[in-house]
Coordinates of all heavy atoms in Angstrom, one line a residue:
M2 N 4.2 -24.9 -6.2 CA 3.9 -23.5 -6.1 C 3.0 -23.1 -7.3 O 3.2 -23.6 -8.4 CB 5.1 -22.6 -6.1 CG 4.9 -21.2 -5.9 SD 6.4 -20.4 -5.5 CE 5.9 -18.8 -5.2
M3 N 2.0 -22.3 -7.0 CA 1.0 -21.9 -8.0 C 1.6 -20.7 -8.8 O 2.3 -19.9 -8.3 CB -0.3 -21.5 -7.4 CG -1.0 -22.6 -6.7 SD -2.5 -22.0 -5.9 CE -3.6 -21.8 -7.3
T4 N 1.2 -20.6 -10.1 CA 1.5 -19.5 -10.9 C 0.5 -18.4 -10.6 O -0.6 -18.6 -10.1 CB 1.5 -19.8 -12.4 OG1 0.2 -20.1 -12.8 CG2 2.4 -21.0 -12.7
V5 N 0.9 -17.2 -11.1 CA -0.1 -16.1 -10.9 C -1.3 -16.3 -11.7 O -2.5 -16.1 -11.2 CB 0.6 -14.7 -11.4 CG1 -0.4 -13.6 -11.5 CG2 1.7 -14.3 -10.5
E6 N -1.2 -16.9 -12.9 CA -2.4 -17.3 -13.7 C -3.3 -18.3 -12.9 O -4.5 -18.1 -13.0 CB -2.0 -17.8 -15.0 CG -1.3 -16.8 -15.9 CD 0.2 -16.6 -15.6 OE1 0.8 -17.3 -14.9 OE2 0.7 -15.6 -16.2
Q7 N -2.7 -19.2 -12.2 CA -3.5 -20.2 -11.5 C -4.2 -19.5 -10.3 O -5.4 -19.8 -10.0 CB -2.6 -21.3 -11.0 CG -2.1 -22.3 -12.1 CD -1.1 -23.2 -11.6 OE1 -0.2 -22.9 -10.8 NE2 -1.1 -24.5 -12.1
I8 N -3.5 -18.6 -9.7 CA -4.1 -17.9 -8.5 C -5.3 -17.0 -9.0 O -6.3 -17.0 -8.4 CB -3.0 -17.0 -7.8 CG1 -2.0 -18.0 -7.2 CG2 -3.7 -16.1 -6.8 CD1 -0.8 -17.3 -6.7
E9 N -5.0 -16.3 -10.2 CA -6.1 -15.5 -10.7 C -7.3 -16.3 -11.1 O -8.5 -16.0 -10.8 CB -5.6 -14.8 -12.0 CG -4.6 -13.7 -11.7 CD -4.0 -13.1 -13.0 OE1 -4.2 -13.7 -14.1 OE2 -3.3 -12.1 -12.9
A10 N -7.1 -17.5 -11.7 CA -8.2 -18.4 -12.0 C -9.0 -18.8 -10.8 O -10.2 -18.9 -10.7 CB -7.7 -19.6 -12.8
A11 N -8.3 -19.2 -9.7 CA -8.9 -19.6 -8.5 C -9.7 -18.5 -7.8 O -10.8 -18.7 -7.3 CB -7.8 -20.1 -7.5
I12 N -9.2 -17.3 -7.9 CA -9.9 -16.1 -7.3 C -11.2 -15.9 -8.1 O -12.3 -15.6 -7.5 CB -9.0 -14.8 -7.4 CG1 -7.9 -15.0 -6.3 CG2 -9.8 -13.6 -7.1 CD1 -6.8 -14.0 -6.5
L13 N -11.2 -16.0 -9.4 CA -12.3 -15.8 -10.2 C -13.4 -16.8 -9.9 O -14.6 -16.6 -10.2 CB -12.0 -15.8 -11.7 CG -11.2 -14.6 -12.2 CD1 -10.7 -14.9 -13.7 CD2 -12.0 -13.4 -12.1
K14 N -13.1 -18.0 -9.4 CA -14.0 -19.0 -9.1 C -14.7 -18.9 -7.7 O -15.6 -19.6 -7.3 CB -13.4 -20.4 -9.2 CG -13.0 -20.8 -10.6 CD -12.3 -22.1 -10.6 CE -11.8 -22.4 -12.1 NZ -11.0 -23.6 -12.1
L15 N -14.1 -17.9 -6.9 CA -14.6 -17.8 -5.5 C -16.1 -17.3 -5.5 O -16.4 -16.4 -6.3 CB -13.8 -16.8 -4.7 CG -12.4 -17.2 -4.4 CD1 -11.6 -16.0 -3.8 CD2 -12.4 -18.4 -3.4
P16 N -16.9 -17.8 -4.6 CA -18.3 -17.3 -4.4 C -18.1 -15.9 -3.8 O -17.1 -15.6 -3.2 CB -19.0 -18.3 -3.5 CG -17.9 -19.1 -3.0 CD -16.7 -19.0 -3.8
P17 N -19.1 -15.0 -4.0 CA -19.1 -13.7 -3.5 C -18.6 -13.5 -2.1 O -17.8 -12.6 -1.8 CB -20.5 -13.1 -3.7 CG -21.0 -13.9 -4.9 CD -20.4 -15.3 -4.7
D18 N -19.1 -14.3 -1.1 CA -18.8 -14.1 0.3 C -17.3 -14.5 0.5 O -16.6 -13.8 1.3 CB -19.7 -14.9 1.2 CG -19.6 -16.4 0.9 OD1 -19.5 -16.8 -0.3 OD2 -19.7 -17.2 1.9
E19 N -16.8 -15.5 -0.2 CA -15.4 -15.9 -0.1 C -14.5 -14.8 -0.8 O -13.4 -14.5 -0.3 CB -15.1 -17.3 -0.7 CG -15.7 -18.4 0.2 CD -15.1 -18.5 1.5 OE1 -13.8 -18.5 1.6 OE2 -15.8 -18.6 2.5
F20 N -15.0 -14.3 -1.9 CA -14.2 -13.2 -2.5 C -14.1 -12.0 -1.6 O -13.0 -11.4 -1.5 CB -14.8 -12.8 -3.9 CG -14.1 -11.7 -4.5 CD1 -12.9 -11.9 -5.2 CD2 -14.6 -10.4 -4.4 CE1 -12.2 -10.9 -5.8 CE2 -13.9 -9.3 -5.0 CZ -12.7 -9.6 -5.7
Q21 N -15.2 -11.7 -0.9 CA -15.1 -10.5 0.0 C -14.1 -10.8 1.1 O -13.3 -9.9 1.5 CB -16.5 -10.2 0.6 CG -16.5 -9.0 1.5 CD -16.1 -7.7 0.8 OE1 -16.3 -7.6 -0.4 NE2 -15.6 -6.8 1.6
K22 N -14.1 -12.0 1.7 CA -13.1 -12.3 2.7 C -11.7 -12.2 2.2 O -10.8 -11.7 2.8 CB -13.3 -13.7 3.2 CG -14.5 -13.9 4.1 CD -14.7 -15.4 4.5 CE -16.0 -15.6 5.2 NZ -16.1 -17.1 5.6
F23 N -11.5 -12.7 0.9 CA -10.1 -12.7 0.3 C -9.7 -11.2 0.1 O -8.6 -10.8 0.4 CB -10.1 -13.4 -1.0 CG -8.9 -13.1 -1.8 CD1 -7.7 -13.7 -1.5 CD2 -9.0 -12.2 -2.9 CE1 -6.6 -13.4 -2.3 CE2 -7.9 -11.9 -3.6 CZ -6.6 -12.5 -3.3
R24 N -10.7 -10.4 -0.4 CA -10.4 -9.0 -0.7 C -10.0 -8.3 0.6 O -9.0 -7.5 0.6 CB -11.7 -8.4 -1.3 CG -11.5 -6.9 -1.7 CD -12.8 -6.4 -2.4 NE -12.7 -5.1 -2.8 CZ -12.9 -4.0 -1.9 NH1 -13.2 -4.2 -0.7 NH2 -12.7 -2.8 -2.4
E25 N -10.7 -8.5 1.6 CA -10.4 -7.8 2.9 C -9.0 -8.2 3.4 O -8.2 -7.4 3.8 CB -11.4 -8.1 4.0 CG -12.8 -7.4 3.7 CD -13.9 -7.9 4.5 OE1 -13.7 -8.7 5.5 OE2 -15.0 -7.4 4.3
W26 N -8.7 -9.5 3.3 CA -7.4 -10.0 3.7 C -6.3 -9.4 2.9 O -5.3 -9.0 3.4 CB -7.4 -11.6 3.6 CG -6.0 -12.1 3.8 CD1 -5.4 -12.4 5.0 CD2 -5.1 -12.5 2.8 NE1 -4.1 -12.9 4.7 CE2 -3.9 -12.9 3.4 CE3 -5.1 -12.4 1.4 CZ2 -2.8 -13.3 2.7 CZ3 -4.0 -12.8 0.7 CH2 -2.9 -13.3 1.3
F27 N -6.5 -9.4 1.6 CA -5.5 -8.9 0.7 C -5.2 -7.5 0.9 O -4.1 -7.0 0.9 CB -5.9 -9.2 -0.8 CG -4.7 -8.9 -1.7 CD1 -3.7 -9.7 -1.9 CD2 -4.7 -7.7 -2.4 CE1 -2.7 -9.4 -2.8 CE2 -3.7 -7.3 -3.3 CZ -2.7 -8.2 -3.5
L28 N -6.3 -6.7 1.0 CA -6.1 -5.2 1.3 C -5.3 -5.0 2.6 O -4.5 -4.1 2.6 CB -7.4 -4.5 1.2 CG -8.1 -4.4 -0.1 CD1 -9.5 -3.9 0.0 CD2 -7.3 -3.6 -1.1
E29 N -5.6 -5.7 3.6 CA -4.9 -5.6 4.9 C -3.4 -6.0 4.7 O -2.6 -5.3 5.2 CB -5.6 -6.5 5.9 CG -4.9 -6.4 7.3 CD -4.9 -5.1 7.9 OE1 -5.9 -4.3 7.7 OE2 -4.0 -4.7 8.7
L30 N -3.2 -7.0 4.0 CA -1.8 -7.4 3.7 C -1.1 -6.3 2.9 O 0.1 -6.0 3.3 CB -1.8 -8.7 2.9 CG -0.4 -9.2 2.4 CD1 0.5 -9.6 3.6 CD2 -0.5 -10.4 1.5
D31 N -1.7 -5.8 1.9 CA -1.1 -4.7 1.1 C -0.8 -3.5 2.0 O 0.3 -2.9 1.9 CB -2.0 -4.4 0.0 CG -1.3 -3.5 -1.1 OD1 -0.2 -3.7 -1.4 OD2 -2.0 -2.6 -1.6
D32 N -1.7 -3.1 2.9 CA -1.5 -2.0 3.8 C -0.4 -2.2 4.7 O 0.5 -1.4 4.9 CB -2.8 -1.7 4.6 CG -3.9 -1.1 3.8 OD1 -3.7 -0.7 2.7 OD2 -5.1 -1.1 4.3
Q33 N -0.3 -3.5 5.2 CA 0.8 -3.8 6.2 C 2.2 -3.7 5.5 O 3.1 -3.2 6.0 CB 0.6 -5.2 6.7 CG -0.5 -5.3 7.7 CD -0.7 -6.7 8.2 OE1 -0.1 -7.7 7.7 NE2 -1.7 -6.9 9.1
R34 N 2.2 -4.2 4.2 CA 3.5 -4.2 3.5 C 3.9 -2.7 3.2 O 5.1 -2.4 3.2 CB 3.4 -5.0 2.2 CG 3.4 -6.5 2.6 CD 3.5 -7.3 1.3 NE 3.6 -8.7 1.7 CZ 3.8 -9.7 0.8 NH1 3.9 -9.4 -0.5 NH2 3.9 -11.0 1.2
W35 N 2.9 -1.9 2.8 CA 3.1 -0.5 2.5 C 3.7 0.2 3.8 O 4.7 0.9 3.7 CB 1.8 0.2 2.1 CG 2.0 1.7 1.9 CD1 1.6 2.6 2.9 CD2 2.5 2.4 0.9 NE1 1.8 3.9 2.4 CE2 2.4 3.8 1.2 CE3 3.0 2.1 -0.4 CZ2 2.8 4.8 0.4 CZ3 3.5 3.1 -1.2 CH2 3.4 4.4 -0.8
D36 N 3.0 0.0 4.9 CA 3.5 0.6 6.2 C 4.9 0.1 6.5 O 5.7 0.9 6.9 CB 2.5 0.2 7.3 CG 1.2 0.9 7.2 OD1 1.0 1.8 6.4 OD2 0.2 0.4 7.9
N37 N 5.2 -1.2 6.4 CA 6.5 -1.7 6.7 C 7.6 -1.0 5.8 O 8.7 -0.6 6.2 CB 6.6 -3.2 6.5 CG 5.8 -3.9 7.6 OD1 5.5 -3.4 8.6 ND2 5.5 -5.2 7.3
Q38 N 7.3 -0.9 4.5 CA 8.2 -0.3 3.6 C 8.4 1.2 3.9 O 9.6 1.7 3.9 CB 7.8 -0.4 2.1 CG 8.8 0.1 1.1 CD 10.1 -0.6 1.1 OE1 10.1 -1.8 1.0 NE2 11.2 0.1 1.3
L39 N 7.4 1.9 4.2 CA 7.5 3.3 4.6 C 8.3 3.5 5.9 O 9.2 4.4 5.9 CB 6.1 3.9 4.8 CG 6.0 5.4 5.1 CD1 6.6 6.2 4.0 CD2 4.6 5.8 5.4
E40 N 8.1 2.6 6.9 CA 8.9 2.7 8.1 C 10.3 2.4 7.8 O 11.2 3.1 8.4 CB 8.3 1.7 9.1 CG 7.0 2.1 9.7 CD 6.4 1.1 10.6 OE1 7.1 0.1 11.0 OE2 5.2 1.2 10.9
K41 N 10.6 1.5 6.9 CA 12.0 1.2 6.6 C 12.6 2.3 5.9 O 13.8 2.7 6.2 CB 12.0 -0.1 5.7 CG 13.4 -0.5 5.3 CD 13.3 -1.8 4.4 CE 14.6 -2.2 3.9 NZ 14.5 -3.4 2.9
D42 N 11.9 3.0 4.9 CA 12.4 4.1 4.2 C 12.7 5.3 5.1 O 13.7 6.0 5.0 CB 11.5 4.5 3.1 CG 11.4 3.5 1.9 OD1 12.3 2.6 1.9 OD2 10.5 3.6 1.1
I43 N 11.8 5.5 6.1 CA 12.0 6.6 7.1 C 13.2 6.3 7.9 O 14.1 7.2 8.1 CB 10.7 6.8 7.9 CG1 9.6 7.4 7.1 CG2 11.0 7.7 9.1 CD1 8.2 7.3 7.8
A44 N 13.4 5.1 8.4 CA 14.5 4.7 9.2 C 15.8 4.9 8.5 O 16.9 5.2 9.1 CB 14.3 3.3 9.8
N45 N 15.8 4.6 7.2 CA 17.0 4.7 6.3 C 17.2 6.1 5.8 O 18.2 6.4 5.0 CB 16.9 3.7 5.2 CG 17.1 2.3 5.7 OD1 17.7 2.0 6.7 ND2 16.5 1.4 4.9
G46 N 16.4 7.1 6.2 CA 16.6 8.5 5.8 C 16.2 8.8 4.4 O 16.5 9.9 3.9
K47 N 15.5 7.9 3.7 CA 15.2 8.1 2.3 C 14.2 9.2 2.1 O 14.0 9.7 0.9 CB 14.6 6.8 1.7 CG 15.7 5.7 1.5 CD 15.1 4.5 0.8 CE 16.2 3.5 0.6 NZ 15.7 2.3 -0.1
L48 N 13.5 9.7 3.1 CA 12.5 10.7 2.9 C 12.9 12.1 3.4 O 12.2 13.0 3.4 CB 11.1 10.3 3.6 CG 10.6 9.0 3.1 CD1 9.3 8.6 3.9 CD2 10.2 9.0 1.7
E49 N 14.1 12.1 3.9 CA 14.6 13.4 4.5 C 14.6 14.5 3.5 O 14.2 15.6 3.8 CB 16.1 13.2 5.0 CG 16.1 12.3 6.3 CD 15.4 12.9 7.4 OE1 15.4 14.1 7.7 OE2 14.6 12.1 8.1
D50 N 15.1 14.3 2.2 CA 15.1 15.3 1.2 C 13.7 15.8 0.9 O 13.4 17.0 0.8 CB 15.8 14.9 -0.1 CG 17.3 14.7 0.1 OD1 17.8 15.2 1.1 OD2 17.9 14.0 -0.7
L51 N 12.7 14.9 0.8 CA 11.3 15.3 0.5 C 10.8 16.1 1.7 O 10.1 17.1 1.5 CB 10.5 14.1 0.2 CG 10.7 13.3 -1.1 CD1 9.9 12.1 -1.1 CD2 10.4 14.2 -2.2
A52 N 11.0 15.6 2.9 CA 10.5 16.3 4.1 C 11.1 17.7 4.1 O 10.4 18.7 4.4 CB 10.8 15.6 5.3
G53 N 12.4 17.9 3.8 CA 13.0 19.2 3.8 C 12.4 20.1 2.8 O 12.2 21.3 3.1
E54 N 12.2 19.6 1.6 CA 11.5 20.4 0.6 C 10.1 20.8 1.0 O 9.8 22.0 0.8 CB 11.4 19.6 -0.7 CG 12.8 19.4 -1.4 CD 12.6 18.6 -2.7 OE1 11.5 18.7 -3.4 OE2 13.5 17.8 -3.0
A55 N 9.4 19.9 1.6 CA 8.0 20.3 2.0 C 8.0 21.3 3.1 O 7.2 22.3 3.0 CB 7.3 19.0 2.5
I56 N 8.9 21.2 4.0 CA 9.0 22.2 5.1 C 9.4 23.6 4.5 O 8.9 24.6 4.9 CB 10.0 21.7 6.2 CG1 9.3 20.5 6.9 CG2 10.3 22.9 7.2 CD1 10.3 19.8 7.8
A57 N 10.4 23.6 3.6 CA 10.9 24.8 3.0 C 9.7 25.5 2.2 O 9.5 26.7 2.3 CB 12.1 24.6 2.1
D58 N 9.0 24.7 1.5 CA 7.8 25.2 0.7 C 6.8 25.8 1.7 O 6.3 26.9 1.4 CB 7.2 24.2 -0.2 CG 8.0 23.8 -1.4 OD1 8.9 24.6 -1.8 OD2 7.7 22.8 -2.0
F59 N 6.5 25.1 2.7 CA 5.5 25.6 3.7 C 6.0 26.9 4.3 O 5.2 27.9 4.4 CB 5.3 24.6 4.8 CG 4.3 25.0 5.8 CD1 2.9 25.0 5.6 CD2 4.7 25.5 7.0 CE1 2.0 25.4 6.5 CE2 3.9 25.9 8.0 CZ 2.5 25.9 7.7
E60 N 7.2 27.0 4.7 CA 7.8 28.2 5.4 C 7.8 29.3 4.4 O 7.7 30.5 4.8 CB 9.1 27.9 6.0 CG 9.1 27.0 7.2 CD 10.4 26.5 7.7 OE1 11.4 26.7 7.0 OE2 10.4 26.0 8.9
A61 N 8.0 29.1 3.1 CA 8.0 30.1 2.1 C 6.6 30.5 1.6 O 6.4 31.4 0.8 CB 8.8 29.7 0.9
G62 N 5.6 29.9 2.2 CA 4.2 30.2 1.8 C 3.7 29.5 0.6 O 2.7 29.9 0.0
R63 N 4.5 28.5 0.1 CA 4.1 27.8 -1.2 C 3.3 26.6 -0.8 O 3.8 25.5 -0.8 CB 5.3 27.5 -2.0 CG 6.0 28.7 -2.6 CD 7.2 28.2 -3.5 NE 8.2 27.4 -2.8 CZ 9.3 27.9 -2.3 NH1 9.5 29.2 -2.3 NH2 10.2 27.1 -1.7
Y64 N 2.0 26.8 -0.4 CA 1.1 25.7 -0.1 C -0.3 26.2 -0.3 O -0.5 27.4 -0.4 CB 1.3 25.2 1.3 CG 1.0 26.2 2.4 CD1 -0.3 26.3 2.9 CD2 1.9 27.2 2.8 CE1 -0.7 27.2 3.9 CE2 1.5 28.1 3.8 CZ 0.2 28.1 4.3 OH -0.1 29.1 5.2
R65 N -1.2 25.3 -0.2 CA -2.6 25.6 -0.3 C -3.4 24.7 0.6 O -3.0 23.5 0.8 CB -3.2 25.5 -1.7 CG -3.1 24.2 -2.4 CD -3.6 24.3 -3.8 NE -3.2 23.1 -4.5 CZ -4.0 22.1 -4.8 NH1 -5.3 22.2 -4.5 NH2 -3.6 21.0 -5.5
A66 N -4.4 25.2 1.2 CA -5.2 24.4 2.1 C -6.0 23.4 1.3 O -6.4 23.6 0.2 CB -6.2 25.3 2.9
I67 N -6.2 22.2 1.9 CA -6.9 21.2 1.3 C -8.1 20.8 2.1 O -8.2 21.1 3.3 CB -6.1 19.9 0.9 CG1 -5.4 19.4 2.2 CG2 -5.1 20.2 -0.1 CD1 -4.7 18.0 2.0

């Protein structure tokens, strides 16, 4: 198994077109993991308190248009 340092060194040696492919792949992977964690947190009810606070603030007029 490679160390993080070895992976970093290998990435730095990539030609620009290969780096772009790697970057796109890595960002997609990161997005997928974020989505999976968010779905897991929602299913486990971890966001209920935050959602309740946001709804209460909205209903009390404590918000601003963005």
Side-chain angles (χ1 to χ4, degrees):
M2 184 165 184
M3 296 177 74
T4 67
V5 172
E6 291 80 13
Q7 291 170 321
I8 295 168
E9 288 172 349
I12 291 169
L13 290 173
K14 293 178 185 175
L15 291 173
D18 60 323
E19 291 295 313
F20 177 77
Q21 183 61 28
K22 288 179 187 177
F23 167 76
R24 183 178 179 275
E25 290 170 6
W26 170 82
F27 187 80
L28 291 173
E29 179 63 29
L30 175 65
D31 192 41
D32 288 346
Q33 288 174 358
R34 288 186 174 187
W35 171 264
D36 290 345
N37 290 342
Q38 185 62 53
L39 183 60
E40 289 173 11
K41 183 179 174 184
D42 290 347
I43 289 169
N45 290 332
K47 290 185 176 182
L48 302 176
E49 292 298 318
D50 291 341
L51 289 174
E54 287 178 34
I56 291 168
D58 285 343
F59 178 78
E60 290 173 345
R63 291 186 300 268
Y64 67 92
R65 60 186 165 103
I67 54 173

